[in-house]
Amino acid sequence: MAIQATDTTPPPPRDNLSIARAARLWPIEEIAHRLGLPGEAVEPYGRGIAKLDPMAMASLAERPRGRYVVVTSMTPTPPGEGKTTTAIGLVQGLQCLGHRAAVALRQPSMGPTLGLKGGATGGGYSQVLPMERINLHLTGDLHAVAAAHNLLAAMVDNHLHHRLTPELSPRDIRWQRVIDLNDRALRHLVMGLGGRGDGVPRQGGFEITAASEVMAVLALADSLADLRRRLGRLIVGLDRDGEPVTAEQISAAGAMTVLLKEALKPNLLQTLEHAPALIHAGPFGNIAHGNSSIVADRIALQAADFVVTEAGFGADMGGERFFNIKCRASGLVPDAAVLVVTVRALKYHSGAHRVVSGQPLPASLLAEAPEDVMAGGANLLKQIANVRAHGLTPIVAINAFPGDHPSEHAAIRELCATQGVRAEVSQHVRDGGEGSLALAQALIEAIDQTDASGNGFHYLYPAELPLAEKIECIATRLYGADGVDFAPGIRARLEAWQHQGYGAFPVCIAKTHMSLSHDAGRLGAPAGWRLPVREVRLSAGAGFVYALAGDIRTLPGLNASPAATRIDIDEDGNTQGLF
């Protein structure tokens, strides 16, 4: 019997880590060349990574600015709906259509990476490489942020110990320390124990590095000089007369700037299809402004035809802050918005299914049920309205999962059609850029239509609106609350800041990302509730006012137990685990 020929070619890898390891990196200089970046601006930082020097971009100043696109989403399920993969896939799709496109993303924090959430570099065939280095240290920017933050904390305690002028009140120190790990035992501490030379005993604690105001400053600064000014404005506490004390007053801002000098340079990497990717800064999306850096966006806009950036969590969270905090700080105007939606998220918001972070999705969620998609549609419609509240009509990207059914995609299209919004199914996780061609073409057509009719983008509220009314505006217009309940003394504090010259600041409301409300259990588009604001903080360096709604300590993924870590090294030295 004749021997039959067999195909010995192994099947293509499917899991994220295998796909990433099978990819061949191009020299990073070639990626920079694709963007037309001057050679003196590119500082190689190991294989496949480079730092970009903003000071060396003068030769790009005469280029026309690229198109600016933000990717946001409906309110997610605990595992997330794939904004990062969609942004990466969209850029690869634009590249397939012959356009020079770049993606700008946040750098992931190691705390969630080593906990329940896994990596943050995309998935399938829409990833940024080298994904393991991105998730584990990258170029050390987060450590530089931690060093600068903790230097200020050390100088605060030294200032307190020596009773220097202005004399800080030990009970009113506002500057915690940070660490880029989830360590619940460090949240609340008693410090300064020991002898007289060991500092003044007081309460203190640690936050995660991504929540540091220094991280927010790094993302919003547009130059080294601006970074220096913003760091000087950081408020570390109050003096004995109740007046704010800044980093400038305790002579810390200059040294902090030195520690952050290299961290201000964005990191250049590449996608699986060798599209340029700028990964820089990583403020959290639920308790900070949730957007990557202005410096990275500016560089990309000088070099590319299209720049796609991602805003953390839903359009009510990172999307709102992109429009009202980041765009105010940069002066940049977005040309389009993409709203990511998934079948599973719509089913989840129907209230018929329970999803738990770190556990498999329930079988009921995966069964064909277009009626559940329609039942959860209120959240999608509200998030479409939230984008439109800023003068842009979004393109809805249906991020397709293997278990989706055509009837469910049809239900999403029907929901979007009621609002006159275009929706496209995107298979970028499975097929890379080829899988997002329809979405990329829809984006180009939407921008062409905007060019013909005029860009209607506008902020949600004017800068001169009083701070308390800005909070109420976001709560009622975007979240759907009936109003805001301020804890005792909050209104008076906001009015005091108003009179002290901070009234033009935008506001950043820290709340759960799992609901339009402050309560993660309220799914869909909840009505008949009020937003409780229990605390406000003046972030003078970042240039906004924090308002804390609900109890942010209960947010999923924050300060998770390190016992959840699922990353290890095998006998051959290869990283194994959840990426």
Side-chain angles (χ1 to χ4, degrees):
M1 184 173 67
I3 298 175
Q4 299 293 318
T6 58
D7 183 2
T8 58
T9 303
R14 302 303 297 178
D15 67 278
N16 293 344
L17 196 55
S18 296
I19 291 170
R21 284 179 174 165
R24 182 180 66 86
L25 288 174
W26 282 8
I28 198 63
E29 293 83 357
E30 177 62 25
I31 304 300
H33 179 70
R34 272 197 168 194
L35 280 177
L37 298 175
E40 61 271 19
V42 182
E43 303 173 0
Y45 206 100
R47 185 167 176 265
I49 303 172
K51 281 280 190 184
L52 299 180
D53 186 355
M55 301 298 291
M57 296 294 171
S59 63
L60 304 182
E62 300 304 317
R63 285 194 192 176
R65 201 204 80 177
R67 302 303 193 157
Y68 198 26
V69 181
V70 61
V71 174
T72 183
S73 78
M74 65 176 292
T75 303
T77 62
E81 306 321 304
K83 289 189 308 302
T84 303
T85 57
T86 302
I88 296 167
L90 178 56
V91 163
Q92 294 183 153
L94 289 165
Q95 184 170 267
C96 288
L97 293 174
H99 299 285
R100 186 157 55 185
V103 65
L105 303 170
R106 289 179 293 162
Q107 181 180 346
S109 167
M110 283 201 311
T113 296
L114 292 169
L116 290 174
K117 291 185 68 176
T121 56
Y125 290 90
S126 290
Q127 296 190 53
V128 180
L129 305 174
M131 63 95 78
E132 291 171 84
R133 290 186 63 186
I134 295 167
N135 282 297
L136 302 172
H137 306 287
L138 191 53
T139 57
D141 293 348
L142 266 75
H143 302 304
V145 168
H149 184 113
N150 292 334
L151 169 67
L152 179 55
M155 294 185 71
V156 165
D157 279 301
N158 183 67
H159 195 90
L160 184 68
H161 174 75
H162 291 288
R163 303 188 67 173
L164 301 176
T165 303
E167 189 173 348
L168 283 161
S169 167
R171 292 183 177 274
D172 294 305
I173 303 295
R174 306 289 171 84
W175 198 256
Q176 302 276 63
R177 284 163 168 80
V178 296
I179 185 172
D180 195 30
L181 291 171
N182 300 326
D183 193 340
R184 64 179 71 252
L186 295 180
R187 289 178 187 169
H188 304 285
L189 302 172
V190 177
M191 305 162 53
L193 301 180
R196 294 179 60 87
D198 295 321
V200 177
R202 64 179 184 88
Q203 286 184 288
F206 279 77
E207 298 171 340
I208 197 163
T209 303
S212 167
E213 189 178 349
V214 176
M215 181 66 82
V217 165
L218 179 68
L220 295 174
D222 62 14
S223 65
L224 190 64
D226 187 37
L227 177 67
R228 173 66 177 77
R229 285 190 295 269
R230 287 175 176 272
L231 292 172
R233 297 200 303 259
L234 293 171
I235 295 174
V236 300
L238 305 178
D239 66 15
R240 294 186 180 274
D241 295 323
E243 295 297 318
V245 177
T246 66
E248 193 69 59
Q249 288 176 286
I250 64 171
S251 303
M256 294 173 71
T257 307
V258 171
L259 290 177
L260 292 168
K261 184 174 180 292
E262 294 302 308
L264 185 63
K265 300 174 181 178
N267 306 296
L268 177 66
L269 300 100
Q270 61 191 281
T271 73
L272 273 164
E273 298 179 10
H274 314 298
L278 285 80
I279 295 185
H280 193 218
F284 271 157
N286 43 16
I287 55 177
H289 64 81
N291 284 268
S292 58
S293 78
I294 288 172
V295 172
D297 287 1
R298 286 191 183 279
I299 290 174
L301 285 166
Q302 284 181 296
D305 302 325
F306 293 89
V307 176
V308 179
T309 189
E310 174 209 347
F313 297 122
D316 59 311
M317 300 289 288
E320 182 273 317
R321 295 159 193 172
F322 171 84
F323 295 131
N324 296 297
I325 294 178
K326 185 176 181 180
C327 288
R328 281 183 195 270
S330 69
L332 297 171
V333 175
D335 295 287
V338 174
L339 188 73
V340 178
V341 58
T342 62
V343 166
R344 70 182 190 185
L346 285 162
K347 289 179 176 178
Y348 173 70
H349 280 280
S350 72
H353 311 276
R354 185 169 181 265
V355 177
V356 179
S357 182
Q359 296 184 13
L361 296 174
S364 63
L365 192 75
L366 304 178
E368 184 173 6
E371 64 279 5
D372 284 357
V373 171
M374 298 297 286
N379 186 272
L380 170 59
L381 300 183
K382 184 68 178 79
Q383 297 289 29
I384 289 173
N386 287 344
V387 175
R388 278 183 159 161
H390 298 90
L392 297 175
T393 296
I395 301 104
V396 169
I398 304 173
N399 182 18
F401 281 74
D404 292 356
H405 301 273
S407 64
E408 296 167 334
H409 289 168
I412 297 175
R413 290 184 186 275
E414 183 179 339
L415 282 166
C416 293
T418 65
Q419 305 301 305
V421 170
R422 182 169 177 176
E424 294 290 348
V425 176
S426 188
Q427 297 279 5
H428 48 271
V429 174
R430 187 188 69 188
D431 300 325
E434 291 288 337
S436 63
L437 288 178
L439 178 61
Q441 189 60 49
L443 173 68
I444 293 169
E445 292 172 8
I447 291 176
D448 288 344
Q449 185 176 351
T450 298
D451 288 344
S453 59
N455 192 324
F457 170 74
H458 55 79
Y459 304 124
L460 184 68
Y461 49 79
E464 61 271 15
L465 194 70
L467 292 171
E469 293 182 32
K470 290 173 182 172
I471 296 171
E472 291 168 338
C473 178
I474 295 173
T476 56
R477 291 191 60 189
L478 296 193
Y479 303 165
D482 291 341
V484 176
D485 294 327
F486 293 97
I490 297 295
R491 280 189 177 274
R493 203 179 313 168
L494 292 171
E495 289 173 5
W497 292 339
Q498 194 87 26
H499 294 305
Q500 290 169 3
Y502 302 110
F505 277 12
V507 296
C508 178
I509 301 179
K511 71 173 185 72
T512 179
H513 56 285
M514 299 303 303
S515 170
L516 284 162
S517 76
H518 63 286
D519 180 356
R522 291 177 178 263
L523 303 179
W529 60 279
R530 296 177 65 83
L531 184 76
V533 173
R534 62 184 181 86
E535 182 60 277
V536 289
R537 299 175 185 170
L538 179 60
S539 295
F544 55 76
V545 169
Y546 267 120
L548 280 67
D551 187 352
I552 63 169
R553 290 173 298 178
T554 64
L555 291 176
L558 284 184
N559 294 305
S561 169
T565 299
R566 285 181 262 170
I567 297 176
D568 207 343
I569 298 288
D570 64 18
E571 293 179 356
D572 297 323
N574 294 317
T575 309
Q576 302 291 334
L578 178 65
F579 273 108

